[in-house]
Amino acid sequence: MKLYGFGPAASAQRVRIFLAEKGLDVPTEQLNVRDDDQFAAAFTAMNPFHCVPFLELDDGTVIAESVSICRYLEELHPEPALFGRTAVERAIIDMWLRRFELDGLVPMVHAVRNHVPMFAGKVVPGTRTDLPQLPAMVTRGKEMMEIFLGRVEPHIARNEFVAGPEFTIADITGFFAVRLTRVLEMDIAARYPAVAAWFAKVSARPTFQL
Amino acid sequence: MKLYGFGPAASAQRVRIFLAEKGLDVPTEQLNVRDDDQFAAAFTAMNPFHCVPFLELDDGTVIAESVSICRYLEELHPEPALFGRTAVERAIIDMWLRRFELDGLVPMVHAVRNHVPMFAGKVVPGTRTDLPQLPAMVTRGKEMMEIFLGRVEPHIARNEFVAGPEFTIADITGFFAVRLTRVLEMDIAARYPAVAAWFAKVSARPTFQL
């Protein structure tokens, strides 16, 4: 198998951290998505959604979507388990993964893409368009993140990690959701101390030194 | 186990269709989320994110998030398989599920909540706030859905279902993403005939008669 990624891209970093936590090494080709490598015909054929990362299997099958790649690798290499070991564990981890992704990361990603000058013309992942950056998307993204963090704070205060006592895929997703608050200059430490403490703890893991 | 849902809520309908496709019957209590039942203390304790559906297990464990509930039930009742039977099948289905959810359903949900008068004060799922409905979220949601449908059209034209030859959980999510285009009066049939044909086919399944 071969992984196509791009060092600075958050989705590619999610998979890199997952691989490091699992102790896996997958041959990787770097596509410079800032130079639009992913729109070349060969890569468009592999992933018409024009995002990195994507994983090409030996038979030519392509798995895109960072979490789908991680699920696949977890099935091939079950330990250490990052998606859970029992049906209930897997469901609880999946629930927290979805909450951090849908309620935290997605609003933040759209806020950042509609705010940071580098993303002008790229407000929708995997596109080059003339869609304008919308300040309302930034405002709403921050508002949604505040609601989300307010809900997560008491949960994190009672748990070692996002989905309970063990480090899981949900912590990887959570790290990227919270990291983006910095890009938008949201100061969360004072209002969400448990979230900030968890973020500092996760950030210190050797696998998170990107 | 006991499922807490609300008939008209799309997320609850996703699980109902999944149960029907699996031939499963789970005792269900209806919470009228329009009357804010889900904010009552007992239900807040079960799901502090205040969304339906959620599944209470016999030991009191609560699994919220519609897809996480479905994943759990699939593990207990593997056939008919709606998440795939092999690691590769599961990864490909998960990839299409994520694409339809992140690129299609999520932008549509936010567009609808920022547009339809019924959702005033409820623009963020599971909240009652004074956040205003933002027209820019409607515009951007439609734009994102057009980009998504343009990418999906050639894929659907070559495949029987969203993730390939078989009906899967990704078709359930896809149905709700495309159904919301009607609420926003997007006329997609002319521009995306393969998507429209797939939508008609899925809509005709006995389990989709909601």
Side-chain angles (χ1 to χ4, degrees):
Chain A
M1 64 177 69
K2 185 174 177 184
L3 185 64
Y4 296 83
F6 176 53
S11 297
Q13 291 181 342
R14 288 167 79 179
V15 173
R16 272 168 58 202
I17 291 175
F18 183 86
L19 289 168
E21 290 279 346
K22 302 285 274 189
L24 297 174
D25 191 20
V26 174
T28 303
E29 179 171 336
Q30 296 290 318
L31 301 191
N32 190 333
V33 301
R34 288 192 190 132
D35 289 347
D36 291 351
D37 285 358
Q38 74 278 27
F39 290 94
F43 302 125
T44 294
M46 282 194 261
N47 182 18
F49 281 63
H50 303 302
C51 289
V52 290
F54 53 92
L55 182 71
E56 185 186 26
L57 307 186
D58 293 343
D59 70 356
T61 301
V62 173
I63 304 167
E65 285 296 322
S66 54
V67 173
S68 308
I69 293 169
C70 294
R71 279 189 201 280
Y72 176 72
L73 294 171
E74 174 104 347
E75 287 211 49
L76 299 194
H77 306 279
E79 294 291 338
L82 297 179
F83 282 90
R85 288 188 180 83
T86 67
V88 173
E89 277 182 17
R90 279 189 279 273
I92 296 296
I93 292 165
D94 192 65
M95 173 181 75
W96 283 108
L97 172 62
R98 286 176 60 84
R99 284 173 170 168
F100 269 85
E101 188 147 49
L102 298 175
D103 297 355
L105 184 57
V106 169
M108 281 286 94
V109 164
H110 291 300
V112 166
R113 285 187 173 251
N114 281 277
H115 178 69
V116 176
M118 181 179 74
F119 287 112
K122 309 175 181 181
V123 291
V124 177
T127 66
R128 297 293 179 269
T129 69
D130 58 2
L131 295 180
Q133 291 179 309
L134 300 177
M137 299 285 291
V138 185
T139 306
R140 184 48 45 88
K142 288 176 169 180
E143 290 164 344
M144 290 176 68
M145 191 62 175
E146 294 280 358
I147 290 170
F148 175 68
L149 291 173
R151 290 173 164 183
V152 163
E153 175 68 13
H155 169 76
I156 291 274
R158 290 191 307 269
N159 290 277
E160 191 71 15
F161 291 105
V162 161
E166 291 192 62
F167 177 88
T168 70
I169 180 83
D171 292 286
I172 301 177
T173 296
F175 168 82
F176 287 97
V178 172
R179 192 176 72 163
L180 284 179
T181 61
R182 295 178 178 173
V183 179
L184 296 166
E185 294 174 16
M186 298 169 68
D187 183 10
I188 67 163
R191 291 195 305 292
Y192 313 108
V195 170
W198 158 83
F199 183 77
K201 178 173 64 185
V202 172
S203 300
R205 292 172 80 89
T207 54
F208 281 68
Q209 310 315 308
L210 296 164
Chain B
M1 65 178 68
K2 186 174 177 184
L3 186 65
Y4 295 84
F6 176 55
S11 297
Q13 291 182 342
R14 288 167 80 179
V15 174
R16 273 169 57 204
I17 290 175
F18 183 86
L19 289 168
E21 290 279 344
K22 301 286 276 189
L24 297 174
D25 191 20
V26 175
T28 303
E29 179 173 336
Q30 295 291 317
L31 302 190
N32 190 333
V33 301
R34 286 192 191 133
D35 290 346
D36 291 350
D37 285 357
Q38 74 278 25
F39 290 95
F43 302 126
T44 294
M46 279 194 264
N47 182 18
F49 281 63
H50 303 302
C51 289
V52 290
F54 52 91
L55 182 70
E56 185 186 26
L57 307 186
D58 293 343
D59 70 356
T61 300
V62 173
I63 303 167
E65 284 295 323
S66 55
V67 173
S68 308
I69 293 169
C70 295
R71 279 188 200 280
Y72 176 72
L73 294 170
E74 174 104 347
E75 287 211 49
L76 299 194
H77 307 279
E79 294 291 339
L82 297 180
F83 282 89
R85 288 187 180 84
T86 66
V88 172
E89 277 181 18
R90 279 189 278 275
I92 296 296
I93 291 165
D94 192 66
M95 172 181 76
W96 283 107
L97 172 61
R98 286 176 60 83
R99 284 173 170 170
F100 270 84
E101 189 147 48
L102 298 174
D103 297 355
L105 185 57
V106 168
M108 281 284 95
V109 163
H110 291 300
V112 166
R113 284 187 174 251
N114 281 278
H115 178 69
V116 176
M118 182 178 74
F119 287 111
K122 309 176 183 179
V123 290
V124 176
T127 66
R128 298 293 179 269
T129 70
D130 58 3
L131 295 180
Q133 291 179 307
L134 300 177
M137 299 285 291
V138 185
T139 306
R140 184 49 45 89
K142 289 176 170 179
E143 290 164 343
M144 290 176 69
M145 190 62 174
E146 294 281 357
I147 290 169
F148 175 68
L149 290 173
R151 290 173 165 183
V152 163
E153 174 69 14
H155 169 76
I156 291 276
R158 290 191 308 267
N159 290 278
E160 191 72 13
F161 292 105
V162 161
E166 289 191 63
F167 177 89
T168 70
I169 181 83
D171 293 286
I172 300 176
T173 296
F175 169 81
F176 287 97
V178 172
R179 193 176 71 164
L180 284 179
T181 61
R182 294 179 178 172
V183 179
L184 296 167
E185 294 175 14
M186 296 169 69
D187 183 11
I188 67 163
R191 290 195 307 290
Y192 313 108
V195 170
W198 159 83
F199 184 76
K201 178 173 64 185
V202 171
S203 301
R205 292 172 80 89
T207 53
F208 281 69
Q209 310 316 308
L210 297 164

